[in-house]
Amino acid sequence: MKKTALASLLLLALVACSKNEQTTQPAPVENKVAEQPATQPNPVADLPAAQSAPAAEPAPAPVAETPAVEPAPAPVAETAPAATATGCSFDLKGTDTMTYTDAAGKPVPEIVVPASCQDFTINFEHTGKMPKAAMGHNVVIAKSADVKAVSAAGVKAGVKGDYLQAGDPKVVAASKMVGGGEKTTVKVPVAKIKEGGYDFFCSFPGHEIKMHGKLTVK
Ligand SMILES: [Cu+2]
């Protein structure tokens, strides 16, 4: 008798449970539905109503919430390997999103210049669409320690001076400033940068932070 009563209670609890799962919105109605069948078998069952009630009630509708999927972290582009130039030139690109890339569109954190070269030419192309005044790019070669000073002096030179101080002694070599769709080149005397510690960067105000890489002779 007890077994069947318990079984029926369990069954009722399950029914209440599944009902709760299906319709959780009208809570007051749901309670009535859950309680009514729970009290019915009381005359037969030995258990008091008070005990059967909690059996039907703690039917927590299982929250079918899937855990928030964390967005995968964007791959850091800085880990790109150094671009080793084949021959004595390198094709560098500039974009409307203020980045230097190689011909394949990959970041260029470093350009390795073969020590056998007398001059090293960087062929630069602005592959974007924005005009020089808004998103101009150039390629300037200077000692790493001088980059900030060259950039600051360049800001003073303004757009008329291509954001580069005329005759800046800290500048080893520099291309002209170009806008979207334009090309330019810069020739670097390898003997001048052989000692190491030289960088290439864009002197347009603010660009150096992103458009900046190492120029290493090996
Ligand atoms: Cu730039």
Side-chain angles (χ1 to χ4, degrees):
M1 202 57 172
K2 260 193 171 181
K3 265 188 181 175
T4 47
L6 271 170
S8 63
L9 274 170
L10 262 169
L11 199 77
L12 284 164
L14 278 168
V15 169
C17 205
S18 63
K19 272 187 181 168
N20 271 346
E21 270 178 74
Q22 281 161 358
T23 53
T24 47
Q25 276 173 337
V29 182
E30 194 65 36
N31 276 344
K32 273 179 198 167
V33 176
E35 271 169 38
Q36 274 172 353
T39 49
Q40 270 175 347
N42 271 345
V44 188
D46 295 331
L47 296 162
Q51 262 179 300
S52 67
E57 266 172 48
V63 185
E65 261 180 55
T66 46
V69 180
E70 275 180 47
V76 182
E78 305 295 314
T79 52
T84 304
T86 50
C88 296
S89 68
F90 183 79
D91 293 337
L92 185 69
K93 315 284 178 189
T95 70
D96 275 347
T97 52
M98 224 171 87
T99 55
Y100 280 138
T101 72
D102 64 9
K106 287 179 187 158
V108 186
E110 183 178 12
I111 298 172
V112 176
V113 178
S116 56
C117 298
Q118 194 169 15
D119 288 314
F120 187 75
T121 305
I122 297 174
N123 299 307
F124 180 67
E125 181 184 3
H126 189 323
T127 58
K129 288 191 171 79
M130 292 171 79
K132 187 168 93 170
M135 185 55 74
H137 299 315
N138 62 1
V139 183
V140 182
I141 317 300
K143 277 213 146 202
S144 307
D146 291 337
V147 169
K148 294 284 179 194
V150 171
S151 283
V155 173
K156 283 180 199 161
V159 68
K160 270 189 183 175
D162 271 6
Y163 293 114
L164 210 57
Q165 188 189 82
D168 190 332
K170 294 185 173 79
V171 173
V172 173
S175 76
K176 63 173 184 171
M177 180 98 37
V178 294
E182 293 181 297
K183 290 178 185 179
T184 185
T185 61
V186 56
K187 199 181 265 187
V188 187
V190 177
K192 278 196 175 181
I193 61 165
K194 227 163 202 165
E195 61 189 276
Y198 286 85
D199 291 359
F200 64 96
F201 67 97
C202 174
S203 70
F204 192 98
H207 287 201
E208 170 265 316
I209 296 160
K210 281 186 76 183
M211 304 182 76
H212 193 159
K214 282 183 190 173
L215 195 62
T216 312
V217 180
K218 269 182 192 166

